[in-house]
């Protein structure tokens, strides 16, 4: 499951590139988010059918479902924040600076869940941060690209970035805490989470409106994006239930390898020295966090 998640994370950006028409994304991002949440909800409902998954467990009440409303609200806020942040910084800058959510997630994981991370493990997480920043700064290069990269971000963009990193870490750690605190089957917990997710994102989609229709610009590539992201969301819920958000961070970082190989194969991009520096940082981080006793 972890390897599959690495493949899905790594293939997401190349898939979005394949979705483009005349260099632009032809579909509404809010529509995709709604469909991803709906697909996860349907798959979770399917897993509760007799013979497909775990039994429902103890008697249920609204107290079991209510905590997931906040979790879904945090995820929905973060998804919308990503869109608005692009107005105050260029995409390359966002790609570099968004790696700071590794630090925010680790800090909140340690503080809120009271999981002590020793100096060796903090060093491993800082290496993951270094790998993400290094790769984003120029791990891949097109035929005519400049070797230099400049960050372009406004003060408002920096403020929104801090909020984004905080909400990203808080939503992940809060969801992990709920999943582990309840003696309920994961499929049932997922139903609660994705039910609220569908409601909130559908309301947001209706509020903002979608020019040209809800499914405007959809193609087989877009449907593949929806299915892959829904499957990855379900895998990540398993990771948070039975492992931790730290494992999720390592999965995301390892997906750099898949992203780079697909980009080279599909778009004729070139690997640079920074890519190999990032790979070395990830390898050392995995060794420090999981391999040294």
């Amino acid at each position: 499951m972890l390897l599959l998640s690495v493949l899905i994370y790594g293939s997401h950006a190349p898939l979005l590139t394949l979705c483009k028409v005349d260099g632009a994304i032809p579909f509404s991002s809010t529509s995709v988010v709604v469909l991803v949440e709906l697909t996860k909800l349907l798959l979770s409902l399917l897993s509760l059918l007799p013979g497909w998954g775990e039994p429902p467990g103890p008697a249920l009440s609204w107290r079991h479902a209510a905590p997931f409303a906040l979790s879904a609200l945090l995820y929905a806020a973060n998804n919308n924040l990503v869109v608005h942040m692009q107005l105050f910084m260029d995409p390359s800058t966002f790609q570099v600076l968004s790696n700071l959510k590794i630090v925010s997630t680790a800090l909140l994981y340690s503080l809120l869940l009271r999981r002590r991370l020793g100096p060796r493990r903090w060093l491993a997480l800082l290496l993951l941060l270094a790998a993400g920043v290094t790769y984003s700064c120029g791990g891949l290069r097109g035929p005519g690209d400049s070797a230099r990269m400049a960050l372009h971000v406004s003060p408002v963009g920096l403020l929104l970035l801090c909020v984004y990193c905080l909400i990203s870490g808080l939503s992940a750690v809060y969801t992990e805490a709920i999943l582990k605190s309840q003696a309920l089957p994961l499929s049932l917990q997922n139903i609660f989470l994705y039910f609220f997710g569908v409601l909130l994102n559908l309301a947001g989609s209706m509020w903002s409106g979608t020019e040209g229709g809800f499914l405007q610009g959809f193609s087989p590539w877009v449907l593949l994006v929806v299915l892959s992201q829904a499957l990855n969301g379900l895998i990540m819920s398993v990771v948070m239930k039975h492992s931790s958000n730290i494992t999720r961070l390592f999965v995301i970082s390892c997906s750099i390898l898949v992203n780079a190989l697909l980009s080279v194969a599909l778009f004729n991009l070139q690997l640079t020295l920074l890519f190999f520096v990032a790979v070395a940082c990830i390898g050392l981080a995995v060794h420090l966090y999981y391999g040294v006793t």
Side-chain angles (χ1 to χ4, degrees):
M1 292 179 71
L2 293 179
L3 289 176
L4 179 58
S5 185
V6 168
L7 290 173
I8 294 174
Y9 269 120
S11 62
H12 182 60
L15 278 176
L16 288 179
T17 302
L18 292 172
C19 293
K20 289 183 178 180
V21 176
D22 296 327
I25 296 292
F27 55 85
S28 167
S29 59
T30 55
S31 297
V32 169
V33 171
V34 171
L35 288 178
V36 169
E37 294 297 304
L38 183 59
T39 303
K40 289 188 287 188
L41 177 60
L42 293 176
L43 290 175
S44 299
L45 288 168
L46 182 64
S47 67
L48 282 183
L49 293 178
W52 281 78
E54 305 165 278
L60 300 176
S61 72
W62 65 269
R63 293 183 179 85
H64 291 109
F68 290 98
L70 177 57
S71 185
L73 180 62
L74 289 171
Y75 280 123
N78 221 36
N79 290 333
N80 285 279
L81 189 57
V82 169
V83 176
H84 292 293
M85 285 170 61
Q86 308 299 320
L87 301 174
F88 302 97
M89 65 184 74
D90 61 277
S92 298
T93 300
F94 171 73
Q95 189 177 17
V96 173
L97 297 181
S98 63
N99 287 288
L100 293 172
K101 66 185 179 183
I102 294 175
V103 176
S104 64
T105 301
L107 281 171
L108 291 169
Y109 173 83
S110 179
L111 292 173
L112 299 183
L113 299 185
R114 298 181 180 179
R115 304 292 176 85
R116 184 178 178 277
L117 300 173
R120 189 186 72 245
R121 290 188 166 182
W122 274 112
L123 177 58
L125 293 171
L126 290 177
L127 283 170
L128 285 189
L129 172 61
V133 171
T134 301
Y135 181 71
S136 301
C137 283
L140 293 171
R141 187 185 304 164
D145 291 350
S146 171
R148 295 185 59 188
M149 177 184 176
L151 300 182
H152 302 282
V153 57
S154 69
V156 175
L158 285 175
L159 177 61
L160 291 177
L161 180 77
C162 293
V163 175
Y164 165 76
C165 290
L166 176 63
I167 296 179
S168 178
L170 184 60
S171 58
V173 172
Y174 174 76
T175 302
E176 178 182 341
I178 298 173
L179 291 175
K180 290 180 174 177
S181 65
Q182 295 182 346
L184 292 175
L186 179 59
S187 297
L188 192 57
Q189 292 176 308
N190 281 338
I191 289 173
F192 295 151
L193 175 60
Y194 301 137
F195 171 76
F196 288 117
V198 170
L199 285 184
L200 289 171
N201 285 286
L202 187 58
S205 177
M206 295 175 64
W207 178 267
S208 61
T210 51
E211 184 178 349
F214 186 79
L215 299 179
Q216 175 71 25
F218 271 58
S219 67
W221 289 119
V222 182
L223 295 179
L224 183 57
V225 168
V226 170
L227 291 175
S228 63
Q229 290 305 298
L231 178 59
N232 204 33
L234 293 173
I235 293 175
M236 284 299 102
S237 68
V238 176
V239 170
M240 287 191 284
K241 176 83 169 180
H242 300 292
S243 184
S244 71
N245 268 292
I246 303 300
T247 303
R248 183 180 66 89
L249 294 178
F250 274 91
V251 167
I252 295 172
S253 295
C254 289
S255 69
I256 286 174
L257 305 175
V258 177
N259 176 268
L261 294 177
L262 286 177
S263 298
V264 169
L266 295 175
F267 310 119
N268 295 319
L269 298 180
Q270 299 173 350
L271 300 178
T272 69
L273 177 61
L274 292 179
F275 165 75
F276 296 100
V277 172
V279 171
C281 288
I282 293 172
L284 183 56
V286 172
H287 178 66
L288 286 174
Y289 200 94
Y290 295 106
V292 177
T293 57

